Amino acid sequence: MYFFYFALKSFNFKSLLLLLFQIKIGFLMVGHTHEDIDQLFSCVAKYLNKYRASTLDHLRSAVENSYKKLPITSSIISYLHDIKNWLVPYMQDIRYHSKPHQFKFVLAQTGKCIMSYKNWSTDCTWCECAREMDTLPYLLKESPADIPVLCTPDFSNADIPKLKKSLASVANFLRIEERDWWEEFLNNIEEITEGNEQRFLLHDIIFNDNNASPMREESDGNETDISDSDNENEIRPVHIGKFSKRKPPQQLDVGAMVATALRRYPTEWPQIGKIFSINNNEVEVVWYTGTYTSRFVLCEKDGQEWREIISKEEVISIFNLTPTSRLPTNVIVKLKELRDDFLNES
């Protein structure tokens, strides 16, 4: 948000918020995360080998002049907002988010942000975060109503009088203007944050701009609705909210996965569904499609999820899918044992 504000500070806040209805963030793979900043620091080091930088102003000038390919600007930051501790009370718990490299944040119709992810930028499909049934798919439980506190420089452990005396020992190595700069800096160091603009810009955008409306997610031209191919380095789904290790269900219950052996589908195996509702001796299942080695996804019929009412006696196994939406190993073994009998009887 800060980057867009300073880059487009002549822009209207309402227009700015409308532009930011979708944000994508990408991270480089391990071993390549420092390549850009290392290149810049290398240029700065070469510049400092030729030119002196005895004050902060000189150092800023050296950084800005050392890299010729792109314009660089620098500034001295005298305060920051404590964003982390500000958001902690409002954050959902989140797990397994250190493995994916691509994240997308979309402003939904509810006016809240929904996060999705994928492992690599070349993957076609964005994945939804896993969560418990009673957890909303948002990173924040609610929007903060306050603003974060300021983090300002703390000079309580610095011996300022000793630093001022040490200027005399290096006076012969400094030009007059450089020595004057340091004397002024040390004399005013404890007042460095006074008179600064301390508005929290994100707070202004959220709470003072009520006319911006949420927009629907729009698809990129290169994103297609196809399943990810099998990946040897598969990652666990990012999980939002409270987390409990699921034990295999011991009885038929809404939300449990089931395997069936319906004779009316002799060419379909394995037959996997999720229980949608239970009524006496019957259960309504939502069918899923997949194989022993692939993910199971919702099965559609006539453009809608395929539901069917079956008898409880037609259920041969009750289980939960793995975090990567695959069949557990014990279920695979059981279904393979039953497969030959099922095909022979059909």
Side-chain angles (χ1 to χ4, degrees), residues 289-341:
T289 180
T291 66
Y292 290 137
T293 58
S294 69
R295 297 179 179 180
F296 274 80
V297 296
L298 277 173
C299 184
E300 293 188 349
K301 185 177 183 180
D302 299 328
Q304 296 181 341
E305 60 183 28
W306 186 3
R307 298 183 190 175
E308 187 172 355
I309 296 177
I310 63 174
S311 170
K312 288 183 177 180
E313 297 177 352
E314 295 175 305
V315 175
I316 60 176
S317 182
I318 312 170
F319 59 93
N320 287 319
L321 292 175
T322 68
T324 56
S325 300
R326 300 175 188 268
L327 294 177
T329 303
N330 64 316
V331 175
I332 294 176
V333 173
K334 181 177 181 179
L335 292 178
K336 285 183 176 180
E337 293 174 351
L338 296 174
R339 181 176 181 274
D340 292 337
D341 295 337

Side-chain angles (χ1 to χ4, degrees), residues 4-5 7-19:
F4 278 101
Y5 174 72
L8 303 173
K9 59 184 178 181
S10 60
F11 224 66
N12 184 279
F13 266 155
K14 299 175 184 178
S15 302
L16 177 60
L17 191 57
L18 286 172
L19 283 176

Side-chain angles (χ1 to χ4, degrees), residues 240-260:
I240 294 178
K242 63 181 182 181
F243 179 80
S244 58
K245 294 185 177 179
R246 296 183 299 172
K247 297 181 179 179
Q250 303 301 317
Q251 60 184 9
L252 293 175
D253 200 0
V254 174
M257 302 298 295
V258 294
T260 66

Side-chain angles (χ1 to χ4, degrees), residues 42-101:
S42 175
C43 294
V44 174
K46 291 178 180 178
Y47 187 91
L48 292 176
N49 286 333
K50 297 179 180 180
Y51 305 97
R52 59 185 289 151
S54 303
T55 67
L56 289 180
D57 290 341
H58 291 166
L59 181 60
R60 289 176 55 192
S61 177
V63 172
E64 294 173 356
N65 295 326
S66 61
Y67 197 72
K68 302 299 182 182
K69 293 183 180 180
L70 293 173
I72 296 177
T73 58
S74 63
S75 59
I76 297 177
I77 300 176
S78 58
Y79 72 93
L80 294 171
H81 288 92
D82 188 358
I83 303 295
K84 177 182 177 181
N85 290 325
W86 176 56
L87 290 179
V88 164
Y90 304 95
M91 283 288 294
Q92 299 264 32
D93 187 20
I94 183 170
R95 298 169 182 263
Y96 314 126
H97 55 287
S98 61
K99 298 297 183 182
H101 296 80

